[in-house]
Amino acid sequence: MMYYNNGTFETENEETMKELLRIIDEVGLGTATCSEADLYRFDDKFCLELTDCIGDIEISLKEIVDACEKADLKISFYITYCGDAEGAYSYRNGVYETLDEEELHLHNVSNEALIAEIARRGLFQSAESVERKPTG
């Protein structure tokens, strides 16, 4: 299977980012080759852009997360993939998630659009009627 991965790793400081780079180099991440020259700063965050990385990187990302947690490194990332399948990998506030295609689309929909669709389906009334049913 062929996957093309794109996304961004973020840390709060340069030292953490350098340690993350070392871990990525040690674990490996598809065809990605990352160095300090690839780092940049944006809105008080240190960032590493992952572009056109080829391969199934799910296991590697989990190993990177485990190594960072063990070292008490505060990182985050959001990486999408496409090719033979579509989805994303997310790590925020200590929570690692894999999103399949449907979950990815839902993740990218605005709150307003989600609420409008729930209302269109009449799910607000359904939730209210479930709450009002007598129990026992």
Side-chain angles (χ1 to χ4, degrees):
M1 298 211 311
M2 184 67 73
Y3 296 107
Y4 300 92
N5 305 278
N6 294 288
T8 306
F9 289 90
E10 294 180 350
T11 64
E12 293 181 3
N13 59 58
E14 189 172 10
E15 295 76 29
T16 301
M17 181 57 78
K18 287 180 181 180
E19 184 62 17
L20 173 60
L21 277 173
R22 186 195 63 73
I23 291 169
I24 291 172
D25 186 48
E26 183 179 296
V27 170
L29 196 57
T31 60
T33 54
C34 306
S35 71
E36 287 186 33
D38 300 318
L39 303 180
Y40 64 94
R41 189 171 181 164
F42 181 76
D43 286 345
D44 297 331
K45 300 279 184 184
F46 287 84
C47 304
L48 171 65
E49 204 73 29
L50 185 69
T51 56
D52 298 325
C53 169
I54 299 172
D56 183 352
I57 63 172
E58 183 174 358
I59 292 171
S60 296
L61 285 173
K62 183 61 177 139
E63 289 177 20
I64 290 166
V65 165
D66 291 345
C68 288
E69 286 178 348
K70 185 177 179 182
D72 199 30
L73 299 177
K74 305 269 189 265
I75 70 161
S76 63
F77 59 77
Y78 184 76
I79 299 169
T80 60
Y81 62 88
C82 62
D84 291 338
E86 184 177 339
Y89 310 105
S90 173
Y91 184 71
R92 300 259 188 261
N93 300 317
V95 177
Y96 177 69
E97 295 180 285
T98 58
L99 306 171
D100 64 20
E101 185 173 358
E102 185 175 293
E103 293 167 326
L104 176 62
H105 291 296
L106 287 172
H107 183 268
N108 290 330
V109 173
S110 71
N111 291 343
E112 293 80 15
L114 283 172
I115 291 169
E117 179 59 18
I118 289 169
R120 185 190 69 75
R121 292 184 186 191
L123 295 177
F124 283 131
Q125 290 97 6
S126 296
E128 289 171 2
S129 67
V130 169
E131 290 174 11
R132 292 183 189 159
K133 283 186 179 178
T135 57

mmCIF file of all heavy atoms in Angstrom, residues 4 7 9 21 24-25 33 41 44 48 60 62 73 75-76 82 89 91 93 96 99 101 111 123 133:
data_model
loop_
_atom_site.group_PDB
_atom_site.id
_atom_site.type_symbol
_atom_site.label_atom_id
_atom_site.label_comp_id
_atom_site.label_asym_id
_atom_site.label_seq_id
_atom_site.Cartn_x
_atom_site.Cartn_y
_atom_site.Cartn_z
ATOM 1 N N TYR A 4 1.006 8.836 1.207
ATOM 2 C CA TYR A 4 1.742 10.091 1.156
ATOM 3 C C TYR A 4 1.332 10.887 2.394
ATOM 4 O O TYR A 4 0.150 11.157 2.581
ATOM 5 C CB TYR A 4 1.411 10.865 -0.119
ATOM 6 C CG TYR A 4 1.763 10.102 -1.363
ATOM 7 C CD1 TYR A 4 0.816 9.293 -1.993
ATOM 8 C CD2 TYR A 4 3.048 10.156 -1.892
ATOM 9 C CE1 TYR A 4 1.145 8.566 -3.123
ATOM 10 C CE2 TYR A 4 3.384 9.428 -3.029
ATOM 11 C CZ TYR A 4 2.425 8.635 -3.631
ATOM 12 O OH TYR A 4 2.754 7.908 -4.744
ATOM 13 N N GLY A 7 2.242 16.963 7.170
ATOM 14 C CA GLY A 7 1.760 17.531 8.412
ATOM 15 C C GLY A 7 2.844 18.275 9.153
ATOM 16 O O GLY A 7 3.901 18.587 8.599
ATOM 17 N N PHE A 9 4.868 18.757 13.095
ATOM 18 C CA PHE A 9 5.178 18.490 14.497
ATOM 19 C C PHE A 9 5.390 19.841 15.154
ATOM 20 O O PHE A 9 5.972 20.744 14.554
ATOM 21 C CB PHE A 9 6.486 17.696 14.629
ATOM 22 C CG PHE A 9 6.396 16.276 14.186
ATOM 23 C CD1 PHE A 9 6.671 15.931 12.870
ATOM 24 C CD2 PHE A 9 6.057 15.276 15.075
ATOM 25 C CE1 PHE A 9 6.609 14.612 12.458
ATOM 26 C CE2 PHE A 9 5.997 13.954 14.670
ATOM 27 C CZ PHE A 9 6.271 13.617 13.353
ATOM 28 N N LEU A 21 13.703 15.620 17.046
ATOM 29 C CA LEU A 21 14.450 15.281 15.820
ATOM 30 C C LEU A 21 15.324 14.057 16.025
ATOM 31 O O LEU A 21 15.403 13.185 15.164
ATOM 32 C CB LEU A 21 15.324 16.467 15.388
ATOM 33 C CG LEU A 21 14.658 17.550 14.573
ATOM 34 C CD1 LEU A 21 15.606 18.722 14.389
ATOM 35 C CD2 LEU A 21 14.186 17.027 13.238
ATOM 36 N N ILE A 24 13.045 11.011 16.072
ATOM 37 C CA ILE A 24 12.584 10.710 14.710
ATOM 38 C C ILE A 24 13.696 10.037 13.919
ATOM 39 O O ILE A 24 13.461 9.051 13.212
ATOM 40 C CB ILE A 24 12.083 11.982 13.990
ATOM 41 C CG1 ILE A 24 10.785 12.466 14.621
ATOM 42 C CG2 ILE A 24 11.902 11.732 12.496
ATOM 43 C CD1 ILE A 24 10.303 13.825 14.121
ATOM 44 N N ASP A 25 14.913 10.543 14.040
ATOM 45 C CA ASP A 25 16.051 9.960 13.343
ATOM 46 C C ASP A 25 16.302 8.525 13.813
ATOM 47 O O ASP A 25 16.591 7.645 13.007
ATOM 48 C CB ASP A 25 17.289 10.834 13.560
ATOM 49 C CG ASP A 25 18.475 10.358 12.731
ATOM 50 O OD1 ASP A 25 18.294 10.104 11.526
ATOM 51 O OD2 ASP A 25 19.579 10.236 13.311
ATOM 52 N N THR A 33 13.434 12.592 5.872
ATOM 53 C CA THR A 33 14.743 12.910 6.441
ATOM 54 C C THR A 33 14.617 14.314 7.020
ATOM 55 O O THR A 33 14.308 15.261 6.309
ATOM 56 C CB THR A 33 15.864 12.863 5.382
ATOM 57 O OG1 THR A 33 15.508 13.719 4.294
ATOM 58 C CG2 THR A 33 16.062 11.450 4.856
ATOM 59 N N ARG A 41 10.158 28.674 13.426
ATOM 60 C CA ARG A 41 9.381 29.160 14.561
ATOM 61 C C ARG A 41 8.145 29.872 14.043
ATOM 62 O O ARG A 41 8.209 30.665 13.116
ATOM 63 C CB ARG A 41 10.228 30.101 15.408
ATOM 64 C CG ARG A 41 9.558 30.457 16.699
ATOM 65 C CD ARG A 41 10.478 31.193 17.606
ATOM 66 N NE ARG A 41 9.745 31.482 18.844
ATOM 67 C CZ ARG A 41 10.313 31.835 19.948
ATOM 68 N NH1 ARG A 41 11.615 31.952 20.005
ATOM 69 N NH2 ARG A 41 9.590 32.077 21.012
ATOM 70 N N ASP A 44 5.239 31.448 18.697
ATOM 71 C CA ASP A 44 5.771 30.896 19.949
ATOM 72 C C ASP A 44 5.903 29.380 19.951
ATOM 73 O O ASP A 44 6.031 28.768 21.012
ATOM 74 C CB ASP A 44 4.931 31.329 21.160
ATOM 75 C CG ASP A 44 4.941 32.827 21.368
ATOM 76 O OD1 ASP A 44 5.949 33.465 20.999
ATOM 77 O OD2 ASP A 44 3.952 33.364 21.902
ATOM 78 N N LEU A 48 8.195 21.560 12.775
ATOM 79 C CA LEU A 48 8.888 20.732 11.801
ATOM 80 C C LEU A 48 7.840 20.255 10.815
ATOM 81 O O LEU A 48 6.886 19.571 11.193
ATOM 82 C CB LEU A 48 9.561 19.533 12.481
ATOM 83 C CG LEU A 48 10.144 18.475 11.566
ATOM 84 C CD1 LEU A 48 11.307 19.047 10.752
ATOM 85 C CD2 LEU A 48 10.586 17.270 12.370
ATOM 86 N N SER A 60 5.558 3.866 13.412
ATOM 87 C CA SER A 60 6.662 4.770 13.763
ATOM 88 C C SER A 60 6.175 5.940 14.605
ATOM 89 O O SER A 60 6.829 6.330 15.573
ATOM 90 C CB SER A 60 7.348 5.299 12.502
ATOM 91 O OG SER A 60 7.948 4.250 11.783
ATOM 92 N N LYS A 62 3.614 5.996 16.618
ATOM 93 C CA LYS A 62 3.316 5.504 17.965
ATOM 94 C C LYS A 62 4.615 5.321 18.755
ATOM 95 O O LYS A 62 4.671 5.657 19.943
ATOM 96 C CB LYS A 62 2.529 4.186 17.881
ATOM 97 C CG LYS A 62 2.124 3.646 19.229
ATOM 98 C CD LYS A 62 1.208 4.604 19.983
ATOM 99 C CE LYS A 62 0.758 4.018 21.293
ATOM 100 N NZ LYS A 62 0.738 4.952 22.388
ATOM 101 N N LEU A 73 8.641 14.714 27.061
ATOM 102 C CA LEU A 73 8.695 15.787 26.072
ATOM 103 C C LEU A 73 7.279 16.163 25.669
ATOM 104 O O LEU A 73 6.469 15.304 25.337
ATOM 105 C CB LEU A 73 9.468 15.346 24.826
ATOM 106 C CG LEU A 73 10.920 14.942 25.016
ATOM 107 C CD1 LEU A 73 11.509 14.471 23.696
ATOM 108 C CD2 LEU A 73 11.733 16.090 25.584
ATOM 109 N N ILE A 75 5.062 17.373 23.017
ATOM 110 C CA ILE A 75 5.009 17.562 21.567
ATOM 111 C C ILE A 75 3.555 17.476 21.123
ATOM 112 O O ILE A 75 2.680 17.039 21.875
ATOM 113 C CB ILE A 75 5.838 16.503 20.805
ATOM 114 C CG1 ILE A 75 5.170 15.122 20.907
ATOM 115 C CG2 ILE A 75 7.270 16.457 21.301
ATOM 116 C CD1 ILE A 75 5.625 14.126 19.868
ATOM 117 N N SER A 76 3.317 17.866 19.891
ATOM 118 C CA SER A 76 2.029 17.635 19.247
ATOM 119 C C SER A 76 2.283 17.486 17.753
ATOM 120 O O SER A 76 3.317 17.928 17.239
ATOM 121 C CB SER A 76 1.043 18.771 19.526
ATOM 122 O OG SER A 76 1.516 19.982 18.994
ATOM 123 N N CYS A 82 -2.743 10.216 2.423
ATOM 124 C CA CYS A 82 -3.621 9.878 1.311
ATOM 125 C C CYS A 82 -2.886 8.881 0.434
ATOM 126 O O CYS A 82 -1.717 8.604 0.635
ATOM 127 C CB CYS A 82 -4.029 11.125 0.527
ATOM 128 S SG CYS A 82 -2.639 11.989 -0.223
ATOM 129 N N TYR A 89 -3.258 11.276 11.503
ATOM 130 C CA TYR A 89 -2.736 10.925 12.816
ATOM 131 C C TYR A 89 -2.648 12.231 13.597
ATOM 132 O O TYR A 89 -2.180 13.237 13.081
ATOM 133 C CB TYR A 89 -1.340 10.322 12.715
ATOM 134 C CG TYR A 89 -1.223 9.213 11.702
ATOM 135 C CD1 TYR A 89 -0.591 9.436 10.479
ATOM 136 C CD2 TYR A 89 -1.735 7.949 11.964
ATOM 137 C CE1 TYR A 89 -0.475 8.420 9.543
ATOM 138 C CE2 TYR A 89 -1.623 6.931 11.033
ATOM 139 C CZ TYR A 89 -0.988 7.162 9.819
ATOM 140 O OH TYR A 89 -0.887 6.160 8.900
ATOM 141 N N TYR A 91 -1.761 13.964 17.568
ATOM 142 C CA TYR A 91 -1.307 13.844 18.955
ATOM 143 C C TYR A 91 -1.372 15.229 19.564
ATOM 144 O O TYR A 91 -0.637 16.126 19.172
ATOM 145 C CB TYR A 91 0.119 13.281 19.017
ATOM 146 C CG TYR A 91 0.592 13.043 20.435
ATOM 147 C CD1 TYR A 91 0.072 12.011 21.203
ATOM 148 C CD2 TYR A 91 1.571 13.855 20.995
ATOM 149 C CE1 TYR A 91 0.512 11.793 22.499
ATOM 150 C CE2 TYR A 91 2.017 13.640 22.292
ATOM 151 C CZ TYR A 91 1.485 12.606 23.035
ATOM 152 O OH TYR A 91 1.917 12.392 24.323
ATOM 153 N N ASN A 93 -2.250 17.199 23.487
ATOM 154 C CA ASN A 93 -2.532 17.116 24.926
ATOM 155 C C ASN A 93 -2.454 15.687 25.460
ATOM 156 O O ASN A 93 -3.293 15.250 26.242
ATOM 157 C CB ASN A 93 -3.901 17.720 25.244
ATOM 158 C CG ASN A 93 -3.994 19.167 24.841
ATOM 159 O OD1 ASN A 93 -3.071 19.947 25.059
ATOM 160 N ND2 ASN A 93 -5.100 19.543 24.220
ATOM 161 N N TYR A 96 -3.186 10.379 21.568
ATOM 162 C CA TYR A 96 -2.827 9.946 20.216
ATOM 163 C C TYR A 96 -4.061 9.346 19.555
ATOM 164 O O TYR A 96 -4.726 8.487 20.134
ATOM 165 C CB TYR A 96 -1.703 8.905 20.277
ATOM 166 C CG TYR A 96 -1.318 8.342 18.930
ATOM 167 C CD1 TYR A 96 -0.671 9.141 17.997
ATOM 168 C CD2 TYR A 96 -1.598 7.036 18.600
ATOM 169 C CE1 TYR A 96 -0.295 8.629 16.758
ATOM 170 C CE2 TYR A 96 -1.224 6.507 17.365
ATOM 171 C CZ TYR A 96 -0.583 7.316 16.454
ATOM 172 O OH TYR A 96 -0.226 6.813 15.230
ATOM 173 N N LEU A 99 -7.329 8.779 12.661
ATOM 174 C CA LEU A 99 -8.627 9.113 12.089
ATOM 175 C C LEU A 99 -8.752 8.451 10.725
ATOM 176 O O LEU A 99 -7.878 8.652 9.862
ATOM 177 C CB LEU A 99 -8.771 10.630 11.930
ATOM 178 C CG LEU A 99 -8.533 11.485 13.172
ATOM 179 C CD1 LEU A 99 -8.496 12.959 12.802
ATOM 180 C CD2 LEU A 99 -9.602 11.217 14.208
ATOM 181 N N GLU A 101 -10.981 7.840 7.102
ATOM 182 C CA GLU A 101 -11.458 8.838 6.143
ATOM 183 C C GLU A 101 -12.708 9.563 6.630
ATOM 184 O O GLU A 101 -12.796 10.788 6.583
ATOM 185 C CB GLU A 101 -11.732 8.174 4.795
ATOM 186 C CG GLU A 101 -12.121 9.149 3.703
ATOM 187 C CD GLU A 101 -12.235 8.499 2.341
ATOM 188 O OE1 GLU A 101 -11.988 7.296 2.210
ATOM 189 O OE2 GLU A 101 -12.571 9.231 1.402
ATOM 190 N N ASN A 111 -17.980 23.585 13.211
ATOM 191 C CA ASN A 111 -19.001 23.338 14.231
ATOM 192 C C ASN A 111 -20.378 23.745 13.729
ATOM 193 O O ASN A 111 -21.373 23.051 13.972
ATOM 194 C CB ASN A 111 -18.671 24.095 15.522
ATOM 195 C CG ASN A 111 -17.457 23.540 16.218
ATOM 196 O OD1 ASN A 111 -17.021 22.423 15.946
ATOM 197 N ND2 ASN A 111 -16.906 24.325 17.127
ATOM 198 N N LEU A 123 -32.050 15.266 15.069
ATOM 199 C CA LEU A 123 -31.450 14.571 16.206
ATOM 200 C C LEU A 123 -31.576 15.355 17.502
ATOM 201 O O LEU A 123 -31.504 14.771 18.581
ATOM 202 C CB LEU A 123 -29.986 14.233 15.913
ATOM 203 C CG LEU A 123 -29.786 13.239 14.764
ATOM 204 C CD1 LEU A 123 -28.306 13.023 14.489
ATOM 205 C CD2 LEU A 123 -30.468 11.924 15.063
ATOM 206 N N LYS A 133 -38.110 10.496 28.549
ATOM 207 C CA LYS A 133 -38.787 9.222 28.804
ATOM 208 C C LYS A 133 -38.669 8.862 30.282
ATOM 209 O O LYS A 133 -37.586 8.968 30.865
ATOM 210 C CB LYS A 133 -38.165 8.105 27.957
ATOM 211 C CG LYS A 133 -38.577 8.133 26.526
ATOM 212 C CD LYS A 133 -38.035 6.921 25.798
ATOM 213 C CE LYS A 133 -38.463 6.933 24.349
ATOM 214 N NZ LYS A 133 -37.914 5.806 23.618
#
